[in-house]
Amino acid sequence: MHATRAVTDGDSQFGNSQVARQTNNATSRSRQTSGKPRRRSFLRRVLSWSLAIIFLVLLLPYLLILLYAAPQVQPISTLMIGETLTGRAYERQWVDFDAIAPVLVQSVMMSEDGQYCAHDGIDWEALNLVIDDALEGEATRGASTIPMQTAKNLFLPPHRSILRKALEIPLAMWMDVVWSKKRLMEIYLNVAEWAPGIYGIEAASQAYFGVPAAKLSARQAALLAVTLPNPIKRNAANPSSGMNRLAGIIEKRASQSGAYIKCLYD
């Protein structure tokens, strides 16, 4: 009888041990199973937040364009922001559109965007030609309109890329919808880089020729216009023979641009 009790006690201990192991295994599996959904939930939250941030970053320029429609707002460019963040000084004096010599506006239009008054922010014909040339492996010409350049100056990095161009296009079209042609030109002329650390036509006029933007001559305006494509290397006050030649062409075109600038001077 004692032997039977001993065997029974042993069986009981063995059974209890098995139950404990099974319980531990079940608990371990439960923890592993519950851990996976938590990790998946965390990853989903990270992905959701990342997509939300990307969406807000892409949306912000469109909201700022609405804000910049107000004439009292004086936008700054990404390059100006970069100068500030790196501790470098820069010059920019905002000037209203009506205080800029019309010959400067005409020269810039004839140099940078001859169809400015005719398109909706994008010169589709010029852009299609550039795309065709690129697909055929030929050297491409510039097809950036003044609205596209303004979008780049205000919101995008200066480095060339297909992605930047893709972002420029809808921004330029939105600007053309929200802003008047005059307001768009005013902002462009006040944020464009004209020399290292020199932004806006007023600071450029003073730096190069010692006169306000309202007093620029036809030749000075043409020289400033041909400086825009490469303000780091070109100097309007000390032009090369090539710059003088280009300025002569732009000066002549500007003098004949009456039909092209009606959207700016009614």
Side-chain angles (χ1 to χ4, degrees), residues 26-40:
T27 303
S28 177
R29 284 195 298 272
S30 176
R31 286 174 180 169
Q32 291 175 357
T33 305
S34 63
K36 289 179 181 178
R38 285 177 186 164
R39 283 196 295 272
R40 284 197 293 268

Side-chain angles (χ1 to χ4, degrees), residues 5-195:
R5 187 182 299 116
V7 170
T8 303
D9 291 345
D11 290 344
S12 177
Q13 290 175 0
F14 177 75
N16 290 339
S17 176
Q18 278 188 316
V19 170
R21 279 198 298 271
Q22 290 172 354
T23 301
N24 289 337
N25 289 338
T27 303
S28 177
R29 284 195 298 272
S30 176
R31 286 174 180 169
Q32 291 175 357
T33 305
S34 63
K36 289 179 181 178
R38 285 177 186 164
R39 283 196 295 272
R40 284 197 293 268
S41 178
F42 173 74
L43 290 174
R44 279 198 295 268
R45 284 198 299 270
V46 170
L47 180 60
S48 298
W49 277 105
S50 300
L51 291 175
I53 291 170
I54 292 171
F55 175 76
L56 290 174
V57 168
L58 293 175
L59 178 64
L60 181 60
Y62 293 88
L63 299 178
L64 288 174
I65 287 170
L66 292 172
L67 175 65
Y68 293 166
Q72 63 270 26
V73 178
Q74 300 177 359
I76 60 173
S77 70
T78 53
L79 288 177
M80 292 184 220
I81 294 171
E83 303 269 26
T84 301
L85 293 177
T86 54
R88 295 193 299 266
Y90 69 86
E91 292 182 41
R92 200 280 290 270
Q93 303 167 43
W94 185 273
V95 61
D96 292 339
F97 180 84
D98 292 333
I100 300 172
V103 70
L104 182 280
V105 178
Q106 292 169 309
S107 297
V108 169
M109 276 186 59
M110 292 300 99
S111 177
E112 296 294 300
D113 187 0
Q115 298 301 315
Y116 178 75
C117 286
H119 60 60
D120 59 357
I122 310 297
D123 187 340
W124 294 107
E125 184 176 349
L127 187 61
N128 287 332
L129 288 173
V130 168
I131 293 172
D132 290 342
D133 288 345
L135 292 175
E136 293 172 5
E138 299 180 9
T140 58
R141 303 176 298 278
S144 288
T145 60
I146 284 175
M148 291 171 72
Q149 292 180 48
T150 306
K152 178 203 71 176
N153 290 340
L154 290 177
F155 306 118
L156 302 172
H159 312 294
R160 281 186 166 189
S161 69
I162 295 175
L163 175 60
R164 194 198 78 185
K165 190 64 65 177
L167 293 172
E168 276 179 20
I169 290 174
L171 284 170
M173 295 178 70
W174 181 234
M175 286 177 183
D176 197 74
V177 169
V178 175
W179 300 343
S180 67
K181 291 285 188 180
K182 185 179 290 189
R183 175 61 172 167
L184 206 163
M185 181 65 77
E186 179 182 70
I187 291 176
Y188 173 70
L189 294 175
N190 276 286
V191 300
E193 184 182 27
W194 300 81

Side-chain angles (χ1 to χ4, degrees), residues 107 110 218-219 222 246-257:
S107 297
M110 292 300 99
R219 188 63 177 181
L246 288 173
I249 295 172
I250 295 304
E251 188 175 355
K252 183 177 180 180
R253 289 179 181 175
S255 68
Q256 302 170 349
S257 64

